[in-house]
Amino acid sequence: MAPPFPSDWDDDERMSFLFSAFKLSRDVDSADWDSKMAFWTPLIIMHAKAQGLLTISLRHLQKGFTRKGISPLGLGTVVQEMLRQGSLQRESDFVAGITSGWVSWGVRELVIKPLRWTISSVLGGQLNPDEPFVVPEVMKEQADVVLQKYRSSPLCTVPLLCEDDVHGLCKDLIPTKSAFQLVLLQLLRDKKVCLLQRDGERLVKFVHGGSNQVTPIGDTDLGIYDLQKSEKLLSERLQSACDESSRLTEEAKSFNKAGNKQKALRCLRRRKVAEKRISALQSKLDTVQSILERISMAETDRKVVSAYQAGVSALRSALKDVSLEKTESLVSQIQEFCDLQDDVNQTLSSVGISDLDVDTDELERELNEILQKEEVDLPDVPAGPLIVSPQHPPLSHRGDNRDVDTDELERELNEILQKEEVDLPDVPAGPLIVSPQHPPLSHRGDNRALDMSGMLSALPDAPSGHLTRSPIRPSVGQSNQSAALQTHRALFQ
């Protein structure tokens, strides 16, 4: 992967300045010195992150930042300054301070050679171009990734693992064994793992979820690890014995088909021995698995008991100042105050104010006198058609909120009809033809209000004198009278 170059990497004039050597001292030209440091230091860190490099060397940097066949001349000064600031570390400095017997196996690779290079660099006054330097920022990121991979893997339930098993989880991320060992040292420094070397085998114990630090490797962890190794060994031997039994069975069939009965019987005898071995291995494996299961259940019980203890402590702390006598006293006081409040409310509601004690009958008589003195001035009947608003439906569609005297309305209607001369048309001799666009009144719905006043105004003039109802046309007079009655009622709304 190509290193990430800044935007001014193609600026020849700018790059010519940055690729030049540093002054002998910062005091000579501080602006020149600081400008080059501000450019190269973050670029080296980004280069290591982009390529996932846990360690870098001066030769690697000179090769990676070659531009148009020219390597930067001041990278040695930049690396020395980064070592002074802590942006880079020698492997010997990185390992220093870690106290673990597990580190002794890597002293030759991680301490002796860097120390030799450090001495040579001090004596010669120059850095060894092949000396690897640890990038702490990248190292911490890779250590966090390894820890997350362990927690998301099926091995997270195993308390103790060998180094090869852990490396197998992140081999795609950290392919080399030496780089992986540096990551384990970073986890060890962060107290996320505990390392132990026993019988030539390197063991790793990770911190469990919910804990900030890993607990030391104890006898229980080693016992569980030995049982798990025994389970793995017994499973492998059991599988091998089963494969051998199946192979001997097939060989016995082959020899029998070939007519070699003696070899077939010999294969069957060996199969009997293999079956006995299978039975013994299966019994041992069941015992080991039963012990591991009981250990797992015991660990679960321990966590449950710890949770119970925490719960009891929390309850004890919560009920520290609470007692049964105090609770009963509080409940009794609450009941007394509630009864007192009920008595106060009942007393307040029974109080009567003398100023408002007025006879109701007297008030009703006074109201009737006021109503009798008022004169109702009715408006004139409109001459044009009565327009009924949807917001004000006809009287027949309204509720009986107003009590109108029907007899009085009929008398007023008779007086109005006597004053008008109504000339009713003759009854048609032929059959009554009903238009589909104008259905009979009885077939129409009550959703439309009829314009009764318009119908009255459209009738011919009435004859002078009294209106004589014809027995032949009773429906006409009745409908006109009903329409007029509705019109008069609408005036009161």
Side-chain angles (χ1 to χ4, degrees), residues 127-393:
L127 292 175
N128 189 323
D130 295 321
E131 179 181 358
F133 302 102
V134 177
V135 187
E137 189 172 347
V138 181
M139 189 71 68
K140 292 180 180 179
E141 293 180 358
Q142 297 287 3
D144 292 338
V145 173
V146 171
L147 182 60
Q148 292 299 326
K149 281 184 171 290
Y150 163 75
R151 289 177 174 175
S152 60
S153 68
L155 297 177
C156 63
T157 58
V158 180
L160 202 61
L161 298 171
C162 66
E163 181 194 3
D164 295 335
D165 293 338
V166 180
H167 188 208
L169 294 176
C170 52
K171 201 167 186 178
D172 55 339
L173 181 66
I174 310 173
T176 61
K177 195 69 172 291
S178 59
F180 174 71
Q181 291 163 355
L182 290 175
V183 173
L184 286 182
L185 290 179
Q186 179 64 42
L187 290 171
L188 180 63
R189 173 177 292 181
D190 297 336
K191 298 182 179 180
K192 300 299 181 183
V193 298
C194 186
L195 308 176
L196 179 65
Q197 185 174 4
R198 188 186 69 159
D199 298 335
E201 189 177 26
R202 293 184 286 271
L203 305 178
V204 182
K205 180 181 181 182
F206 282 88
V207 62
H208 290 287
S211 302
N212 295 326
Q213 296 182 1
V214 64
T215 57
I217 299 176
D219 295 337
T220 303
D221 298 324
L222 294 174
I224 295 175
Y225 179 75
D226 291 338
L227 285 173
Q228 290 173 345
K229 284 184 61 178
S230 300
E231 180 187 15
K232 184 178 180 180
L233 179 61
L234 289 172
S235 298
E236 292 176 354
R237 290 185 176 180
L238 180 62
Q239 184 63 39
S240 176
C242 292
D243 294 340
E244 183 181 1
S245 176
S246 300
R247 180 179 58 81
L248 291 173
T249 302
E250 295 298 328
E251 289 181 358
K253 291 180 181 179
S254 300
F255 287 133
N256 188 37
K257 288 182 180 180
N260 195 343
K261 190 173 182 181
Q262 294 296 330
K263 290 185 177 181
L265 293 176
R266 192 180 299 115
C267 289
L268 291 178
R269 291 191 190 96
R270 292 171 59 189
R271 192 191 68 172
K272 291 290 184 182
V273 175
E275 289 178 351
K276 291 180 179 180
R277 188 166 65 252
I278 290 173
S279 178
L281 290 173
Q282 185 65 53
S283 176
K284 295 176 182 179
L285 181 62
D286 292 340
T287 302
V288 172
Q289 291 178 345
S290 176
I291 294 174
L292 289 174
E293 183 66 24
R294 288 181 177 274
I295 292 174
S296 177
M297 293 177 61
E299 180 65 20
T300 303
D301 294 340
R302 185 188 64 80
K303 294 180 179 179
V304 172
V305 171
S306 299
Y308 285 170
Q309 290 178 351
V312 170
S313 300
L315 286 174
R316 184 182 296 109
S317 177
L319 299 176
K320 182 178 180 180
D321 298 330
V322 178
S323 62
L324 181 60
E325 293 78 7
K326 184 182 294 185
T327 304
E328 292 177 350
S329 176
L330 290 174
V331 171
S332 178
Q333 293 178 16
I334 291 173
Q335 186 63 39
E336 290 179 2
F337 283 113
C338 289
D339 295 341
L340 177 60
Q341 185 182 14
D342 294 339
D343 295 339
V344 170
N345 291 334
Q346 184 177 3
T347 303
L348 292 175
S349 62
S350 63
V351 174
I353 302 176
S354 58
D355 294 340
L356 298 179
D357 191 9
V358 183
D359 189 5
T360 307
D361 297 336
E362 183 180 354
L363 294 176
E364 290 182 356
R365 286 194 299 273
E366 185 176 354
L367 177 61
N368 293 331
E369 292 176 359
I370 294 173
L371 294 176
Q372 291 177 0
K373 292 179 180 180
E374 292 181 355
E375 296 181 358
V376 180
D377 187 9
L378 298 177
D380 298 333
V381 178
L386 179 63
I387 299 175
V388 181
S389 174
Q391 288 80 6
H392 302 283

